[in-house]
């Protein structure tokens, strides 16, 4: 299986705006129909917090650092932003190394 192609396909479908992954509904269906399924409840421990930064550890002791980059509390709308998988950088590197076609 080519997992990259599968991922890119699924990402393009989900990013199209025509399809939404409703994970809460899916989780509810699984919980109601699969005896061994439990809704995951992440365990996060806050290690440090101040006005500009928060450090959190998860159940596997992975560390996540969150920093405040704005004083605004309004959510940012990214609906007009194209998904970036680094394809442009990959093509640029290929061009620079192999084809050397410049406009």
């Amino acid at each position: 299986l080519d997992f990259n192609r599968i991922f890119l396909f699924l990402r393009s479908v989900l990013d199209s705006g025509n399809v939404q992954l409703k994970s809460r509904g899916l989780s509810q269906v699984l919980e109601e129909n699969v005896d061994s399924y439990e809704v995951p409840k992440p365990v996060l421990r806050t290690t440090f917090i101040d006005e500009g930064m928060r450090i959190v550890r998860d159940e596997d002791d992975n560390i996540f650092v969150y920093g405040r980059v704005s004083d605004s509390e309004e959510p940012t709308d990214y609906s007009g932003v194209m998904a970036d998988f680094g394809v442009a950088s990959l093509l640029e590197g290929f061009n620079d190394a192999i084809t050397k076609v410049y406009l």
Side-chain angles (χ1 to χ4, degrees), residues 10-53:
L10 290 174
R11 185 64 193 222
S12 68
V13 169
L14 292 173
D15 285 347
S16 71
N18 299 324
V19 176
Q20 292 182 346
L21 179 61
K22 298 186 178 185
S23 59
R24 290 182 195 266
L26 175 60
S27 181
Q28 182 179 359
V29 168
L30 289 172
E31 193 171 31
E32 291 171 356
N33 295 291
V34 178
D35 291 336
S36 62
Y37 181 80
E38 289 184 32
V39 177
K41 295 175 180 67
V43 176
L44 298 173
R45 297 182 323 272
T46 301
T47 305
F48 175 83
I49 190 168
D50 70 7
E51 290 180 11
M53 182 172 52

Side-chain angles (χ1 to χ4, degrees), residues 41-80:
K41 295 175 180 67
V43 176
L44 298 173
R45 297 182 323 272
T46 301
T47 305
F48 175 83
I49 190 168
D50 70 7
E51 290 180 11
M53 182 172 52
R54 177 175 52 188
I55 300 175
V56 178
R57 293 178 187 262
D58 69 5
E59 57 201 27
D60 297 322
D61 236 14
N62 295 311
I63 298 173
F64 299 88
V65 178
Y66 300 96
R68 183 179 299 273
V69 295
S70 170
D71 289 332
S72 173
E73 294 184 12
E74 294 297 317
T76 303
D77 179 13
Y78 290 103
S79 62

